[in-house]
Amino acid sequence: MWSYVARRIFQALITTVVTATAVFIMVRVAPGDPIEVLLGDMASAEEIARGREAYGLDQPLLVQLGIYLGKAATLDFGKSITQGIPVHELVLSRVGPSVLLGLVTILLTIVIAIPLGILCALRRDRTTDKITSGGAFVALSLPDFWLGIVLILIFSRTLHLLPSSGGSGLAFIMPAVTLALPLAAVNFRLMRNETIGVLKAPYVTLARARGLRLFDILKRHVLRNAIIPVLTIGGVQFGHLLGGAAVIESVFGWPGIGQLLIRSIATRDYPVVQGCIILMTVMVVAVNLLVDLAYRFIDPRFRSA
Amino acid sequence: MTEPTSLKIRKFPVGVVMLMALCLAAAIGPFFIDFNPASVDTSSRLLAPFSHNRNGAFFLLGTDQLGRGMLEQIVHGARTSLLIGVSAALIAGLAGTLIGVMAGWLGGRSETLIMRIADIQLSFPSILIAVFLAAFVPPSILAVILVLAVTRWAQIARLARAVTVKAKQQNYVEAALTLGFPVPRIIWSCILPNLIAPLIIVLTAELSLIILAESALGYLGLGTPPTVPSWGRIIANGKNYLDNAWWISTLPGLGIALVVIAIGLSGDWMRRYFARGGWEIT
């Protein structure tokens, strides 16, 4: 078990370093000299040379990569070009709202997907199942940012029930619903198919033959087995939301890290872009690692492996 | 996918027909319906669908804040969207197949390395990768196609590798090797045929994801240049006029949804079709 944990932590570290290196390469091959961007059009050749030296850009590329990775490990990404604030302050202040939105979203998907999945597995191919499965199919076909705008149109502009943007009060509801719908559709399908599979298992037949109530069978046998893959995927989805919610955070002006990333890209604020991407990477990798380990602990079949 | 109840297939594949109709409209529509992104017509600003402007011109789907017709924009946006989607899916399919078959055939270190890279990429949300890459390339249709292809090769490489590894153990491959057939020929005639059906199924799913990602990039202003009409960009533009012109943002979204639904239905139909033919579709 512990050798597995060690191996997974090592893999997670490798993933982080590989991604950080990819970010480094992208920033270097991107058109536009970072120092010229930093100093503006008015800088003289001498100033640019001094800037290169100050930022270590006159060093060989591999040395630069080493320095960069060392600094990234201590969350030192320099200062924001547009705001002059240290990048880590800017980026870390966005973590809370992103985590909050991610948690609410995942909770919502689980609340939607698990009961519907069980219900549709029991009512397989009947009207309830057909309508819900059809709804899941449609939910996966809609562009999420468009769904968000439609929600704004309905609940904010027409009914005046919810705020259309910001990070306070009830503002989390619409972005969470927007993010949750397609994910809930995925989890619903998984829960439905898992439940159908478990319902066919011999121990369920036996329980039925023994005359146990359906509710008890569902609770004791079906839910406990069918829920494991759904919880696993929920964890992975939570990790993905920390980075992948960027578009929806922008639609609703939610003050998360994704919105900061999109805004920094628009203003070409590359130090902040780097900081966002690397922090997102760390979060995604950490959550994936935790999910993987938790899975091993939850499912007894894996404990000895 | 929802577990199919039976392998019954419809005689009339609604999705396939719908998709072909949409592709046809996107391909030839722009020749009949003209759209000039630079045109400004103040007499027909923000007209609702089914209305006429002062000169009596009719706008089936209304107009935007510059008096440009929504129908025109949506038809031209459809062409952009499908062109980018199909090209990116084909490039990702080709590259993914090449890399995956190579990994599966060679085995050993190179296989481990390639599949680890694929795993790392797949552990990130693909939209994040697309946004990140798009931030560093100058906007053009080709750039968007390449960015989206890069975000989707890994899934295909995984499939191609799995199929190759399985096919490589078959007797006919061993026989061909013993008989001294050149490796490229064995791959072409013994490995690739196994890949056709699963690849088509996966590529259809990928096409949907690519079209959705393209529209998201367009929405963020990271997609095609402003002169090229794109659904995502129209939706972003309409977001500023939600109070007095709901149709600008909503209609192109319905277009995207329609295309993605058609692709999804086609994929489902093909899955059943291939399954009936004895293919194992994972």
Side-chain angles (χ1 to χ4, degrees):
Chain A
M1 183 72 213
W2 290 112
S3 74
Y4 175 78
V5 173
R7 204 170 68 233
R8 281 294 288 114
I9 291 175
F10 179 69
Q11 280 176 0
L13 277 175
I14 295 281
T15 305
T16 315
V17 173
V18 168
T19 318
T21 310
V23 173
F24 173 81
I25 293 170
M26 279 310 289
V27 173
R28 287 307 133 93
V29 301
D33 186 301
I35 290 301
E36 280 168 36
V37 174
L38 191 69
L39 297 177
D41 297 332
M42 308 300 282
S44 68
E46 196 187 325
E47 279 175 316
I48 288 175
R50 228 181 308 132
R52 284 185 170 285
E53 213 173 305
Y55 281 84
L57 291 175
D58 53 343
Q59 306 274 338
L61 217 54
L62 269 179
V63 177
Q64 284 185 41
L65 176 63
I67 295 172
Y68 160 83
L69 287 178
K71 283 189 170 174
T74 54
L75 282 180
D76 178 5
F77 303 105
K79 276 184 182 167
S80 156
I81 293 173
T82 51
Q83 303 186 54
I85 308 169
V87 171
H88 69 267
E89 278 177 30
L90 211 55
V91 175
L92 288 176
S93 69
R94 301 301 190 104
V95 172
S98 276
V99 171
L100 175 72
L101 185 60
L103 283 178
V104 175
T105 302
I106 290 303
L107 229 74
L108 208 56
T109 63
I110 287 174
V111 169
I112 298 171
I114 289 180
L116 278 180
I118 295 175
L119 181 71
C120 289
L122 291 172
R123 296 245 178 281
R124 193 178 172 189
D125 292 330
R126 309 261 283 272
T127 317
T128 322
D129 180 28
K130 280 186 176 157
I131 292 175
T132 317
S133 296
F137 174 67
V138 173
L140 281 171
S141 303
L142 302 175
D144 51 1
F145 63 94
W146 175 78
L147 184 66
I149 290 178
V150 171
L151 289 182
I152 291 179
L153 196 58
I154 297 172
F155 292 100
S156 177
R157 299 304 160 93
T158 310
L159 300 175
H160 302 288
L161 285 175
L162 294 167
S164 65
S165 72
S168 54
L170 298 175
F172 71 91
I173 295 179
M174 282 203 288
V177 170
T178 310
L179 288 166
L181 269 179
L183 295 180
V186 172
N187 297 354
F188 155 74
R189 283 179 172 178
L190 187 66
M191 190 67 200
R192 175 184 175 276
N193 293 351
E194 287 293 328
T195 310
I196 287 175
V198 176
L199 283 175
K200 283 184 196 151
Y203 53 80
V204 173
T205 316
L206 177 67
R208 283 194 157 168
R210 278 161 61 205
L212 284 174
R213 283 191 311 160
L214 183 64
F215 181 78
D216 290 328
I217 299 178
L218 287 178
K219 202 174 72 180
R220 280 184 57 88
H221 299 291
V222 179
L223 190 63
R224 288 180 71 168
N225 281 296
I227 211 168
I228 293 176
V230 179
L231 290 184
T232 316
I233 209 171
V236 174
Q237 287 168 339
F238 173 66
H240 274 205
L241 280 173
L242 296 176
V247 186
I248 299 302
E249 287 185 355
S250 306
V251 170
F252 290 100
W254 180 260
I257 189 164
Q259 188 216 25
L260 179 68
L261 171 71
I262 303 282
R263 200 193 283 164
S264 312
I265 286 173
T267 55
R268 306 274 154 208
D269 197 340
Y270 286 137
V272 182
V273 172
Q274 283 183 24
C276 287
I277 295 276
I278 289 177
L279 197 68
M280 284 173 171
T281 305
V282 171
M283 291 197 292
V284 170
V285 169
V287 172
N288 283 351
L289 179 68
L290 286 177
V291 170
D292 232 35
L293 297 181
Y295 183 71
R296 299 252 155 181
F297 281 108
I298 292 171
D299 193 333
R301 279 166 294 185
F302 276 106
R303 239 173 251 160
S304 55
Chain B
M1 273 290 135
T2 318
E3 186 180 298
T5 317
S6 67
L7 294 177
K8 251 192 300 180
I9 74 172
R10 277 178 224 271
K11 287 234 176 57
F12 183 73
V14 188
V16 179
V17 174
M18 205 168 125
L19 185 60
M20 284 188 337
L22 286 167
C23 286
L24 198 68
I28 63 170
F31 293 109
F32 293 103
I33 303 173
D34 220 23
F35 172 64
N36 175 10
S39 82
V40 177
D41 178 4
T42 44
S43 70
S44 25
R45 290 182 71 241
L46 300 176
L47 290 175
F50 301 108
S51 56
H52 297 264
N53 70 0
R54 263 179 271 144
N55 307 326
F58 178 65
F59 292 98
L60 182 67
L61 300 181
T63 60
D64 68 3
Q65 78 281 9
L66 297 175
R68 301 175 297 188
M70 290 309 301
L71 177 67
E72 289 81 346
Q73 296 188 48
I74 289 171
V75 168
H76 283 254
R79 180 165 67 173
T80 314
S81 196
L82 283 166
L83 179 79
I84 290 178
V86 171
S87 315
L90 286 179
I91 293 175
L94 206 65
T97 305
L98 263 173
I99 297 170
V101 169
M102 209 172 72
W105 183 267
L106 294 175
R109 281 243 177 98
S110 45
E111 180 186 21
T112 316
L113 181 69
I114 291 172
M115 294 334 285
R116 273 307 292 164
I117 294 174
D119 284 345
I120 290 179
Q121 180 169 336
L122 287 172
S123 67
F124 291 98
S126 61
I127 187 69
L128 181 64
I129 300 171
V131 164
F132 174 67
L133 292 178
F136 291 102
V137 292
S140 73
I141 292 187
L142 184 66
V144 178
I145 291 174
L146 291 178
V147 162
L148 292 172
V150 169
T151 61
R152 306 240 63 101
W153 70 274
Q155 203 67 264
I156 305 200
R158 241 191 204 180
L159 170 79
R161 180 196 152 268
V163 171
T164 308
V165 167
K166 206 174 160 201
K168 213 180 149 188
Q169 295 158 353
Q170 302 296 319
N171 289 333
Y172 51 79
V173 174
E174 211 167 302
L177 278 171
T178 321
L179 288 171
F181 281 108
V183 171
R185 187 172 160 195
I186 298 176
I187 288 178
W188 179 260
S189 52
C190 299
I191 306 268
L192 289 184
N194 287 299
L195 199 66
I196 294 172
L199 188 64
I200 290 177
I201 302 287
V202 171
L203 272 183
T204 354
E206 296 290 304
L207 180 60
S208 294
L209 296 174
I210 290 173
I211 287 178
L212 289 174
E214 188 273 330
S215 69
L217 286 183
Y219 173 81
L220 295 173
L222 294 170
T224 52
T227 47
V228 181
S230 113
W231 282 342
R233 193 178 283 281
I234 308 172
I235 295 175
N237 169 40
K239 200 184 171 226
N240 303 322
Y241 301 92
L242 284 184
D243 284 323
N244 42 10
W246 55 268
W247 52 90
I248 304 176
S249 274
T250 46
L251 296 178
L254 289 178
I256 302 170
L258 214 59
V259 169
V260 177
I261 286 173
I263 296 171
L265 290 174
S266 308
D268 204 40
W269 184 81
M270 283 191 285
R271 176 187 295 270
R272 285 164 197 235
Y273 179 83
F274 284 129
R276 264 165 43 120
W279 285 92
E280 264 180 56
I281 312 284
T282 39

